[in-house]
Amino acid sequence: MANVVKTMLAVGACKASRSALRIMHRGGTTTPGRLAMKIDSNILESVSRGMEIIVVTGTNGKTTTSNMIGHALSEAGRDVLANRSGANLLPGVTAEFTSSATATGRPRKHYAVIECDEGALKQVVPKIHPKVIVVTNLFRDQLDRYGEVMHTLEEIRKGIRLVPDAILCLNADDSLTASLALGVPNPVTWFGIDCPVGEQKNVEISDARYCIRCGTEYEYDYHTYAHLGGFRCPKCGYRRIRPAVAVTEIEKVSSSGSIIRMRFGTDGNADRAESADGAGAVAAASAETEQEVTIGLPAVYNIYNGAAAIAAYQAAGFDRSEVISSLADVHSSFGRMETFRLGEVPVQMILVKNPAGCNQALSYLSGLGEDYQAVFCLNDRTADGHDISWIWDADFEKVCGDPHMKHTFVLGDRADDMQLRLKYAGADEKDIEKADGNAELIEKLKQSSVPVFVLPNYTSMLSLRAALGAITGKQEFWKG
Amino acid sequence: MSELKICHLYPEVLNLYGDRGNIRCMQKRLEWRGIDVSIARVGLGDSEDLSRYDLFFIGGGQDFEQEVLLKDLKAGKGDAIRSAIEDGKTFLCICGGYQMLGHYYETYDGVKCEFLGAVDFYTKGGSTRMIDNYAFRLEESCGGSTVVGFENHSGRTYLGQGVKPLGTVLKGYGNNGEDGTEGVHYRNVFGSYSHGPVLPKNPEFCDFLLKTALERKYGGFDLEPLEDRFEKQAHDSVLAGVMDGTAGKDD
Ligand SMILES: [Zn+2]
């Protein structure tokens, strides 16, 4: 009895503090959850009991992949719980589940898609017992928060060890992510891209060049981006596994989305190394189907996100065709690739927070073949990571050397560092302009005669999005 | 026509924290002055003759990959690096690359890794990381300018008797968070915990390194001054934030 009372109190406190924070116009994603956990330490277990849950983690693409899965489930008529941007640590996840529960702490919804911070996975998954855990990829990110990428990998592994029944849905092309399948009892399913993407020469691999098992340098059959691709270790045999959900060809990529060909079959077997002539692959191929898929978001990394969403969707036991048809009109998620209109000027915002994601965004811009202005916003607050040195690892040269790039603005706590980076990337000093705050930037962008692309990091995205939203009438995120 | 040959050592393993920015900075500042520059990447298993280079850069790396590196150093490159140092070649070594020049690294659990021993210092792993924007003043023998950067290390470095630091900490941790020293300066070797990357925002330090290498090669050498407006803005804004404690704070 006492437990039920505690649960009810926790639910009540969480809901009350959440509405109070909303009235005060604060995003308030952690306080209500902390409050609920303080009253009832088992609250998250209670309010998620019996639900079917998909958890998405990894460095890049968590939000977009979760949105793709959530969108498909809703389109198919299921009532889905999802956590919104920023609420991906234990208190935020707790608040989402708790405030959606009944007064007695029972879940109202049966399905949930939760994006989870890599470091918080080990706290979250033992409480919510997910059916599927998706790991999108691993790159260096926010070095001062996690130390290094190997440390992040270990954090995820700790989380997985706590839920041996959860199905792992892993990126086959990422040697770091793929290693999560080694030595765990969990069932595993894979997604990936079978074909080369972009430049194949002089690919600089900085995150995972050496075999995670034996230290030998990987050989690659092809590259997709950063350290992702057809990797194999010439010494110990650790290699990419042929995935059940794979992109076989990229037919068309434009600013409104991509058209790709995909094959669906069974996963290659890691223990029975496939022979060089592909005997294993031939056996699997008999059960394979191929299909054209449209993804309504531009850039190659969204192709990975789409493949991850499809693989997770079918691993959770849903009909693959539902997610495939909904991918064509998936909404761009909060700040990740969102378009605003300032009068006649289209302004597209692409969140960038590490070199791999930033390089993808920069390739997207330099590949447009049309004139544009670029805005780079750089803050160095806690949620961004205080260390902004990664800007020197991203190829701003691509955009600074692009004749279609007409002008660039810099903004944020570290605008001076950004402006210096652009100078060394080859931009002319007179083409670089520092804006003093969001309002001034917006006034200047209104004058633009060409489309504008804004590449902000996390907290600068929050403030600029709020300012743009106020003018263009888009809702602030916690109201959406 | 003067020329500087830069050797980027172990770029494939020691490449954390924007190290590319240091190489790019040196390259651009030479090119803008009409000095030829070539950059060679010399990595694991390469048996290049190191004596043909004028300036060496070694960056920081991940622990996992440092084992691969120690093997390669033992296989011959370690000796070549030691002779280049004694020969007066210029070295800029950051974080892991800096630690590598000392006698050893003793982890927090007491495991000792033997390093190059090219310069008299050692490093001990600590239980906490020393992470933040920081600032230090270079010794007069290193140009005397003020450097701003970002440090992120759990290793505490202790210099041997009579070994000079690179500078004195103004704000932050530096070598060990105890004695106020930052980095090391031995012959023409400059070691630092400042990744940042350190050079773009500290053009005087960059030019000091370039001048040191050019003078070693050509005798007296004058570097013409550059228009450093953006460099100075970035340097000054970070320095102000570091000194008044507002850098990286949430409002
Ligand atoms: Zn191997």
Side-chain angles (χ1 to χ4, degrees), chain A residues 253-257 297-301 337 339 348-350 357-370 372 398-399 402 453 455:
Chain A
V253 180
S254 74
S255 61
S256 59
L297 287 173
V300 174
Y301 52 87
M337 183 113 22
T339 306
Q348 195 168 46
M349 195 185 274
I350 309 170
C358 189
N359 281 340
Q360 285 296 300
L362 295 169
S363 305
Y364 167 58
L365 295 197
S366 59
L368 284 172
E370 302 157 13
Y372 59 92
K398 274 185 196 152
V399 160
D402 179 8
F453 294 89
L455 278 61

Side-chain angles (χ1 to χ4, degrees), chain B residues 22-90:
Chain B
N22 285 326
I23 296 283
R24 175 151 305 259
C25 183
M26 292 191 279
Q27 179 186 9
K28 287 282 179 189
R29 296 184 72 81
L30 289 164
E31 285 173 3
W32 288 332
R33 291 167 165 126
I35 299 167
D36 276 352
V37 53
S38 68
I39 292 153
R41 296 158 59 91
V42 175
L44 296 173
D46 295 340
S47 53
E48 275 289 318
D49 173 14
L50 296 188
S51 67
R52 47 196 287 239
Y53 299 106
D54 308 309
L55 194 155
F56 295 83
F57 174 76
I58 317 178
Q62 298 192 18
D63 300 339
F64 163 71
E65 287 167 341
Q66 255 148 29
E67 291 165 38
V68 195
L69 191 82
L70 291 179
K71 244 191 265 173
D72 193 73
L73 285 172
K74 281 217 180 87
K77 225 171 267 140
D79 288 333
I81 292 171
R82 272 189 289 261
S83 357
I85 290 173
E86 291 311 314
D87 197 24
K89 296 293 176 65
T90 302

Side-chain angles (χ1 to χ4, degrees), chain A residues 211 213-216 233 235-238:
Chain A
C211 176
R213 288 213 310 208
C214 75
T216 308
C233 171
K235 192 162 168 205
C236 77
Y238 176 58

Side-chain angles (χ1 to χ4, degrees), chain B residues 12 20 31 35 45 53-55 61 73 83 95 99 106 110 123 127 145 149-150 192-193 199 206 222 229 233 246-247:
Chain B
E12 77 279 47
R20 268 171 66 192
E31 285 173 3
I35 299 167
Y53 299 106
D54 308 309
L55 194 155
L73 285 172
S83 357
C95 292
Q99 294 171 347
E106 190 180 326
T123 304
S127 57
S145 62
F150 197 93
S192 175
Y193 274 115
L199 298 183
C206 182
D222 279 328
R229 189 165 63 97
Q233 277 178 22
T246 58

Side-chain angles (χ1 to χ4, degrees), chain A residues 140 143-145 147-150 204-213 215 380-383 386-390 392-395 397 413-414 416-417 419-421 423-426 429 432 434, chain B residues 12-13 15-21 24-25 28-29 32 41 44 61-65 68 129 131-133 150 152 195-197 200-201 227-231 233-234 237-238 247-251:
Chain A
R140 311 172 180 196
L143 291 159
D144 55 340
R145 211 167 109 212
E148 290 149 1
V149 69
M150 296 302 286
E204 212 171 291
I205 294 165
S206 55
D207 283 340
R209 198 181 173 97
Y210 297 94
C211 176
I212 192 157
R213 288 213 310 208
D380 63 351
R381 303 180 191 182
T382 308
H386 298 308
D387 183 1
I388 52 108
S389 56
W390 64 267
W392 292 88
D393 288 328
D395 297 328
E397 284 77 5
D413 303 338
R414 301 300 289 261
D416 290 321
D417 284 83
Q419 140 176 298
L420 185 60
R421 175 69 189 97
K423 174 180 175 178
Y424 280 84
E429 282 192 39
I432 308 171
K434 194 160 72 178
Chain B
E12 77 279 47
V13 274
N15 61 2
L16 273 187
Y17 310 129
D19 287 330
R20 268 171 66 192
R24 175 151 305 259
C25 183
K28 287 282 179 189
R29 296 184 72 81
W32 288 332
R41 296 158 59 91
L44 296 173
Q62 298 192 18
D63 300 339
F64 163 71
E65 287 167 341
V68 195
R129 291 190 84 81
I131 308 176
D132 217 340
N133 293 290
F150 197 93
N152 180 353
H195 57 84
K201 269 200 295 286
E227 199 277 299
D228 281 334
R229 189 165 63 97
F230 283 5
E231 286 81 349
Q233 277 178 22
S237 65
V238 176
K249 294 297 174 292
D250 299 13
D251 280 326

